Amino acid sequence: MPQPHPVLEVSSAADIARLLGLPFDDSDAVIEAAIAQASVPALLMSMVHMTGDLGLLDELPTPVLLIPMDLDGAMSEPDKQVVRDAALKVALDYRDRGCPPPWLPDRAALRRMLDVLTVGAVAEEYTDYVAADLRLTDADQDGPALTSTAAQRADFPVVVIGGGEAGIVAGIRLKRAGIPFVIVDRQSGLGGTWAANRYPGCRVDITNQYYTYSFEPTDHWTHHYAEQSEILAYLNDVADRYGLREHLRLETEVTTATWDEDSASWAVETIGAQGNRTVLAARAVICAVGQFGNPIIPDIPGAADFAGPSFHTADWPDEIDLTGKRIAVIGAGASGFQLVPAIAERAGHVEVYQRTPQWFAPNINYHQPIGDGARWATRHLPFYGRWLRLLSWWPLADGGAETARQDPDWDDGGLSCGPANRAFRDLLVAWIQAFTSDEELLAKVVPQYPPMGKRLLQDDGTWLRTLARDDVTLITDPIAEIDATGVRTADGVHRAADVLIWATGFDVNHQLGPITVRGRGGRDLAEAWGDSPYAYLGVTVPEFPNLFCMYGPGTNAVNGASIIYNSECQARYALGCIDMLLASGARALTPRADVCADYTRTNQELLRTQVYTHPKIVNSYFRNSTGEVPTLYGGRLSDYWARTSRPDPADYDFG
Ligand code: NAP
């Protein structure tokens, strides 16, 4: 690893200060109040940056254990107080010295800091990866310096399909590279899935410290897990700050993208809300439609006969009034789990039709606001926000890999898939039992498959408190049919409903939806993919020149990743490919078929050793018709970060 140094070459000093800690001259009282709310381990690290004194890590109490969702390293209250008292003195002195540039560790010092903060959890091999996210090296999400000329880039128009978080970061990267582009989106605004999913209760379930662009500070958030409206506002705010507005074509649907070999360009056909058709010429297409753009409404007999309002959670009618209504919610996955508690109070009665119970993790912060003091600390104390982010993401990301591993010698009847997974299961069951001892309810809500096999949900007790209400019923008998007035289950019981809500998820294995993409020789991408989509690193596809997917097949790290982090990796990689292409003088690039096949095969082999393919997990949105999980990523995120840091020309055919 090169000697750590800040990323001043790629951003302005003001941007860096915004990211790493804005100078402050606040009163003693403000600083004291902030320190009282701050995460103590992150505070400890910031003290080292403020003083340059690594000895503080020997003198003061340090974290004991890194636990998911705990931002205090399992430290005792007296120990935390000792650190807070010392931190106050350091912060006041730092202020009085005029907030000089923070001290930066060399590699040995960084190792010491990592060992203390994570209690040894971040091993040596992860140092570069973590240092980049801490912004201690220039090997960050920005990628290597471009090698093509500005004139080459200015003559390389790109169409980005989709204006969600992925399309936004693609736009930011293209703009900075001086590449002309338009972002086309069928919705009336930016935000993608966060614009479409407006159902009550919708919020992120990855901590916002991680669900944030790495080049933006982490103090944006009023809650640890922000609601949909706040995330949508954030995405719009970022898009404005980076000047994307002028590049947007909204209420415009891409129907077809066709590669033309002679001109080495794509013809992207669109249709506007008024039926107006256009054709955009592009040298490259970035397909940022995501995996959650195509809602599924299952084919249940009689569903079309239902007389009342009937809609998917991703198609929420803003005008709907649920007050006093009898509501049938079909599905208890991530969306249903958030929706039902949010509507129970105002509805007359909610019936939740659950086919498979889903695991949920204890998370007392799930609905909690972030105090003003904690936000002040994130905004001002040098590097505090970066270390807080690490505390938030590490236990979820590569730190959680062992829990997801299938041990071939493990057999407890399929309840778990290995010792770590079993221990996790026991913890989750204990959490559920803390809220109910009702055996009938327990039988319905405790899953009989290993945890993490489907996406783990977040819970602070809200779900079981909601199910315990008299006006909420959890129904586990299979649905037999729907008629004009309600839902009939297989046991013959008919339950009347005024409103039918489908919380039934998305068709992730066919992410292109209605878009036709034709590559070399007119090859149709949806046909080529069929039920088993593939792409090299989830980004590039053989036979489809200058096409770059974001959140493509083989990229969904179900339980650990922030999709924003992954999108940054993919945007960096796509830009690297474009730069490599232009610098080579060639007109088009495609990944070698053998390289792509090897990536796909290796990834699927890894996934076969993990919980996602466990035989007890029959229904999950990422399984395809043959039981494979083509959209998932089974490797380490650190490897994905490294492999997407820059393209290897040996992986590509140029033409
Ligand atoms: P989902 O997790 O796929 O859940 C769909 C639900 O519908 C499941 O309970 C499923 O049951 C049920 N279902 C499907 N077909 C059915 C049928 N024919 N009969 C009865 N039930 C049926 O979809 P989702 O809840 O929309 O979440 C999808 C993904 O979106 C999540 O994993 C997550 O990545 C993302 N998401 C994130 C957030 C967040 O960050 N807060 C919120 C919502 C969604 P089975 O389990 O038996 O298949």
Side-chain angles (χ1 to χ4, degrees):
M1 185 178 100
Q3 279 303 301
H5 60 280
V7 290
L8 291 170
E9 311 101 44
V10 291
S11 309
S12 72
D15 280 348
I16 289 295
R18 205 170 136 260
L19 195 60
L20 303 182
L22 288 169
F24 53 94
D25 59 2
D26 300 78
S27 69
D28 291 14
V30 167
I31 298 170
E32 187 171 2
I35 284 176
Q37 290 183 358
S39 149
V40 169
L43 207 47
L44 200 54
M45 297 300 127
S46 183
M47 289 164 73
V48 175
H49 288 288
M50 285 190 270
T51 59
D53 181 4
L54 265 185
L56 289 169
L57 304 183
D58 299 316
E59 291 160 23
L60 293 169
T62 56
V64 181
L65 188 65
L66 199 57
I67 310 176
M69 320 307 165
D70 173 22
L71 300 176
D72 276 330
M75 290 174 71
S76 70
E77 286 306 321
D79 276 1
K80 286 196 279 188
Q81 195 53 49
V82 171
V83 177
R84 289 190 204 281
D85 291 345
L88 180 59
K89 288 195 191 105
V90 166
L92 295 181
D93 174 63
Y94 185 68
R95 175 200 62 190
D96 294 342
R97 288 189 285 123
C99 298
W103 176 83
L104 301 172
D106 62 15
R107 191 182 176 90
L110 175 61
R111 275 303 329 158
R112 172 90 181 105
M113 293 170 85
L114 284 172
D115 281 340
V116 169
L117 182 94
T118 69
V119 202
V122 172
E124 170 70 26
E125 66 200 281
Y126 296 106
T127 310
D128 292 358
Y129 165 56
V130 168
D133 196 67
L134 285 167
R135 293 272 153 165
L136 285 167
T137 72
D138 59 2
D140 60 17
Q141 296 296 79
D142 297 332
L146 300 173
T147 53
S148 55
T149 67
Q152 285 175 314
R153 296 196 294 275
D155 195 25
F156 194 84
V158 174
V159 169
V160 179
I161 310 175
E165 53 77 27
I168 290 172
V169 70
I172 291 171
R173 296 308 184 210
L174 289 165
K175 185 147 187 145
R176 204 173 57 189
I179 294 174
F181 67 96
V182 288
I183 299 176
V184 183
D185 197 294
R186 62 188 177 188
Q187 297 194 71
S188 59
L190 282 170
T193 188
W194 291 109
N197 284 269
R198 297 181 309 277
Y199 60 84
C202 182
R203 65 188 330 126
V204 68
D205 57 11
I206 292 281
T207 162
N208 274 116
Q209 294 298 327
Y210 194 25
Y211 203 87
T212 300
Y213 293 111
S214 73
F215 49 85
E216 281 289 307
T218 59
D219 68 348
H220 284 282
W221 308 103
T222 62
H223 286 70
H224 295 279
Y225 299 82
E227 290 183 6
Q228 171 266 342
S229 57
E230 189 169 352
I231 296 170
L232 187 59
Y234 167 76
L235 294 174
N236 276 277
D237 177 43
V238 169
D240 283 335
R241 202 172 17 262
Y242 292 86
L244 297 193
R245 217 41 85 175
E246 64 195 77
H247 299 270
L248 301 182
R249 273 195 203 192
L250 298 172
E251 294 186 309
T252 303
E253 220 172 318
V254 170
T255 55
T256 309
T258 308
W259 174 253
D260 175 52
E261 201 67 57
D262 293 339
S263 60
S265 64
W266 288 93
V268 181
E269 295 174 46
T270 70
I271 180 163
Q274 270 71 48
N276 46 312
R277 292 181 181 273
T278 54
V279 180
L280 303 166
R283 295 293 312 284
V285 168
I286 295 182
C287 184
V289 296
Q291 294 191 7
F292 297 113
N294 301 305
I296 294 179
I297 294 196
D299 191 13
I300 295 178
D305 300 333
F306 185 71
S310 164
F311 49 88
H312 193 277
T313 42
D315 198 14
W316 194 264
D318 293 327
E319 70 290 349
I320 191 90
D321 181 8
L322 300 179
T323 312
K325 299 269 169 47
R326 199 168 185 103
I327 298 166
V329 176
I330 300 184
S335 302
F337 194 82
Q338 294 180 330
L339 170 73
V340 173
I343 61 173
E345 190 64 45
R346 98 186 82 127
H349 196 103
V350 182
E351 261 125 13
V352 191
Y353 292 86
Q354 172 193 280
R355 188 166 64 179
T356 316
Q358 203 137 323
W359 284 108
F360 43 93
N363 187 340
I364 53 170
N365 283 333
Y366 192 39
H367 291 103
Q368 289 307 308
I370 300 176
D372 289 344
R375 289 185 77 189
W376 185 95
T378 310
R379 191 169 302 134
H380 291 292
L381 295 179
F383 281 94
Y384 172 90
R386 304 314 297 179
W387 288 100
L388 184 66
R389 178 170 151 108
L390 176 59
L391 274 176
S392 310
W393 68 261
W394 178 263
L396 304 174
D398 288 339
E402 185 54 25
T403 317
R405 196 175 65 81
Q406 282 196 52
D407 180 341
D409 300 324
W410 185 259
D411 183 8
D412 64 358
L415 296 178
S416 63
C417 63
N421 189 268
R422 176 69 206 209
F424 191 47
R425 179 193 174 92
D426 292 345
L427 185 144
L428 300 184
V429 171
W431 175 253
I432 294 173
Q433 288 171 338
F435 291 92
T436 181
S437 52
D438 175 345
E439 289 297 332
E440 201 181 325
L441 183 59
L442 283 169
K444 288 179 174 179
V445 297
V446 176
Q448 299 304 305
Y449 60 86
M452 290 174 76
K454 292 157 79 95
R455 185 185 171 90
L456 189 67
L457 309 179
Q458 305 295 314
D459 178 66
D460 57 6
T462 300
W463 180 243
L464 290 168
R465 274 195 295 273
T466 302
L467 295 184
R469 292 173 66 111
D470 291 339
D471 52 6
V472 175
T473 312
L474 179 66
I475 295 149
T476 52
D477 298 293
I479 298 172
E481 61 169 354
I482 295 172
D483 62 20
T485 59
V487 180
R488 188 181 311 281
T489 39
D491 57 359
V493 178
H494 182 274
R495 295 177 180 87
D498 304 315
V499 179
L500 186 58
I501 303 177
W502 301 92
T504 40
F506 302 89
D507 186 358
V508 303
N509 287 313
H510 304 94
Q511 66 178 166
L512 293 173
I515 303 174
T516 302
V517 178
R518 289 200 194 91
R520 281 211 164 112
R523 189 139 199 238
D524 184 300
L525 183 56
E527 273 175 34
W529 276 353
D531 215 16
S532 300
Y534 54 86
Y536 179 46
L537 294 168
V539 181
T540 51
V541 189
E543 304 293 332
F544 292 82
N546 300 1
L547 174 72
F548 304 99
C549 302
M550 299 190 63
Y551 207 0
T555 61
N556 183 1
V558 186
N559 284 306
S562 154
I563 183 60
I564 291 189
Y565 185 84
N566 283 20
S567 296
E568 286 186 47
C569 290
Q570 289 144 16
R572 178 185 55 187
Y573 185 79
L575 260 287
C577 286
I578 290 173
D579 183 54
M580 177 173 76
L581 170 68
L582 292 174
S584 76
R587 300 197 310 164
L589 60 70
T590 45
R592 282 173 34 200
D594 60 327
V595 168
C596 181
D598 185 54
Y599 173 77
T600 306
R601 187 180 49 251
T602 310
N603 187 40
Q604 289 301 314
E605 277 167 12
L606 270 172
L607 286 159
R608 278 195 274 282
T609 68
Q610 296 171 355
V611 64
Y612 314 107
T613 52
H614 191 276
K616 279 281 197 133
I617 296 158
V618 183
N619 296 317
S620 79
Y621 69 80
F622 36 74
R623 285 227 161 173
N624 70 5
S625 54
T626 60
E628 288 181 319
V629 288
T631 57
L632 299 194
Y633 174 68
R636 301 188 310 179
L637 292 172
S638 52
D639 292 336
Y640 193 72
W641 169 80
R643 292 186 72 178
T644 54
S645 67
R646 66 187 69 200
D648 181 347
D651 292 340
Y652 282 88
D653 291 323
F654 295 81

